[in-house]
């Protein structure tokens, strides 16, 4: 398997976020890359540097004003008297009809869902290359590779068309799926991260041309709270093209694998011929975000089940946070996927 990675993804280094009102160190650390890359080296993957596809394929998913916001906001924020070093919102338009803001504080509240996506001077560059990494991974699979791994960081699946959130800025998996669609494929996104892929769902919710499936910890008591429930099935042309598979907190390997089965069946029924796996390693029992109970060997079983679909597959890195087993969990998933994907 080839791995795609660009070193510019290391620069984004968020410091803080709020959890239940408490300021805590941000878990989406650049050191994640070293753990993940260690697994890639042990597996003997060739590492490919992504090509620069420009903003076009990003703009196929994200609005022009949002892309402009991510590019400009840190500079605008730095000019606000007494502002923090990182852009962190403190006011949001909520659900009311609202006017598009012009001030830095207003823009941050408009385009940032929560406090878990602080923006520094380095964020745009890292998010840009994270998206390019996914796009080059899609190129490899569209060009005939059976599978490829995009080491995208920062992650993407909580980012909506015009909204950052949950450590995410550009929705790498959605951007890759859209590129596959543009190349004439029928893509499905299967999100196995601990958290519901709410941004991905939102982007494709009214569309029937990209299937979105997410298996995750039950959001009734877990991030992202407002999305990820089983009754969210899509709307309009997208009705039936979104499937959520919430699991009780603490679900272990057997329960995860059983819960995944209807998701795999839906991918087959949709007639997908290109699969994007939004790979979170945070369902791990020892992950600091502590939501599910998947073991290191469990990731190998999940990978084998997905590989059994037999589809050309791009694996895009989403969550999975610093713990001693982070690299071993990726190695377990990718090693098994390669073996089972015949
Ligand atoms: Zn996650």
């Amino acid at each position: 398997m080839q791995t795609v990675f660009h070193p510019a993804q290391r620069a984004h280094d968020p410091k803080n976020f709020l959890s239940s009102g408490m300021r805590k160190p941000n878990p989406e650390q650049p050191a994640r890359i070293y753990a993940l890359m260690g697994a890639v080296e042990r597996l003997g993957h060739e590492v490919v540097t992504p090509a620069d596809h420009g903003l076009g394929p990003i703009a196929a998913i994200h609005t022009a004003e949002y892309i402009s916001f991510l590019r400009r906001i840190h500079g605008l924020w730095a000019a606000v008297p007494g502002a923090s070093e990182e852009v962190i919102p403190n006011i949001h338009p909520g659900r009311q009809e609202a006017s598009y803001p012009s001030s830095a504080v207003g823009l941050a509240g408009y385009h940032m869902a929560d406090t878990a996506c602080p923006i520094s001077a380095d964020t745009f560059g890292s998010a840009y290359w994270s998206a390019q990494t996914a796009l080059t991974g899609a190129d490899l699979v569209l060009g005939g590779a059976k599978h490829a791994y995009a080491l995208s960081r920062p992650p993407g699946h909580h980012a909506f068309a015009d909204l950052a959130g949950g450590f995410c800025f550009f929705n790498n998996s959605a951007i890759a799926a859209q590129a596959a669609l543009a190349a004439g494929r029928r893509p499905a996104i299967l999100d196995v991260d601990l958290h519901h892929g709410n941004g991905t769902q939102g982007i494709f919710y009214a569309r029937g041309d990209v299937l979105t499936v997410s298996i995750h910890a039950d959001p009734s008591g877990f991030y992202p709270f407002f999305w990820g429930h089983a009754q969210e099935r899509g709307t309009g042309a997208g009705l039936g093209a979104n499937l959520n598979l919430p699991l009780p907190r603490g679900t272990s390997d057997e329960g995860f694998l059983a819960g995944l089965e209807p998701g795999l069946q839906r991918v087959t029924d949709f007639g997908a011929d290109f699969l994007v796996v939004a790979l979170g390693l945070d369902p791990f029992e020892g992950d600091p975000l502590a939501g599910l109970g998947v073991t290191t060997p469990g990731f190998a079983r999940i990978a084998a089940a997905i590989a059994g679909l037999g589809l050309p597959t791009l694996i895009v890195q989403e969550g999975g946070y610093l713990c001693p087993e982070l690299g071993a969990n990726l190695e377990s998933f990718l090693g098994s996927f390669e073996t089972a994907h015949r």
Side-chain angles (χ1 to χ4, degrees):
M1 192 181 307
Q2 288 178 300
T3 282
V4 190
F5 175 71
H6 195 285
Q9 294 177 94
R10 291 195 187 103
H12 170 66
D13 186 6
K15 303 299 182 211
N16 298 302
F17 82 125
L18 289 177
S19 178
S20 304
M22 299 292 286
R23 192 166 86 162
K24 293 190 176 170
N26 193 301
E28 206 289 283
Q29 290 298 302
R32 296 175 62 237
I33 289 170
Y34 296 97
L36 298 170
M37 198 50 94
V40 167
E41 285 166 10
R42 288 192 295 279
L43 289 163
H45 287 189
E46 179 193 354
V47 180
V48 178
T49 302
D52 190 350
H53 302 71
L55 283 170
I58 297 174
I61 291 295
H62 294 285
T63 66
E65 60 190 18
Y66 177 67
I67 294 170
S68 170
F69 161 80
L70 284 182
R71 199 200 273 280
R72 297 185 307 122
I73 187 59
H74 189 264
L76 296 173
W77 188 264
V80 175
S84 55
E85 196 175 313
E86 298 179 309
V87 181
I88 300 177
N90 55 264
I91 182 167
H92 300 277
R95 296 171 304 285
Q96 314 308 321
E97 268 193 53
S99 296
Y100 192 71
S102 55
S103 77
V105 175
L107 287 164
Y110 193 89
H111 287 300
M112 297 166 81
D114 53 47
T115 61
C117 48
I119 294 173
S120 70
D122 295 317
T123 301
F124 181 84
S126 291
Y128 179 86
W129 283 105
S130 190
Q132 300 299 334
T133 291
L135 283 164
T136 292
D139 288 344
L140 291 172
V141 177
L142 290 169
K146 285 169 61 184
H147 43 238
Y149 170 58
L151 205 175
S152 290
R153 184 271 164 184
H157 72 150
H158 297 309
F160 288 74
D162 67 349
L163 192 63
F167 318 139
C168 300
F169 303 93
F170 288 137
N171 194 316
N172 308 308
S173 296
I175 290 166
Q178 183 71 31
L181 186 73
R185 302 296 181 98
R186 185 164 170 84
I189 300 174
L190 175 61
D191 188 319
V192 297
D193 188 279
L194 165 62
H195 304 94
H196 174 241
N198 57 331
T200 314
Q201 170 174 304
I203 285 164
F204 296 113
Y205 205 59
R207 290 173 49 176
D209 52 358
V210 177
L211 176 71
T212 49
V213 177
S214 182
I215 182 168
H216 46 264
D218 186 346
S220 59
F222 205 66
Y223 191 92
F225 300 100
F226 315 112
W227 304 276
H229 304 273
Q231 72 269 22
E232 298 157 19
R233 299 178 53 237
T235 189
L239 185 62
N242 186 76
L243 177 64
N244 287 328
L245 302 165
L247 299 172
R249 289 284 290 274
T251 296
S252 189
D253 297 345
E254 300 299 333
F256 195 105
L257 285 158
L260 185 61
E261 277 176 24
L264 299 175
Q265 186 62 49
R266 182 67 66 89
V267 171
T268 299
D269 293 346
F270 182 73
D273 58 10
F274 187 101
L275 182 65
V276 177
V277 177
L279 175 63
L281 297 166
D282 44 3
F284 178 54
E285 58 182 352
D287 189 274
L289 299 193
L292 292 174
V294 173
T295 66
T296 300
F299 284 110
R301 297 174 64 193
I302 294 165
I306 298 170
L309 291 169
L311 295 174
T313 302
L314 170 65
I315 300 163
V316 177
Q317 187 65 48
E318 297 285 357
Y321 300 96
L322 289 174
C323 58
E325 300 86 352
L326 178 58
N329 291 340
L330 180 64
E331 190 177 351
S332 177
F333 187 96
L334 293 182
S336 167
F337 195 91
E338 275 183 295
T339 304
H341 200 220
R342 298 280 175 211

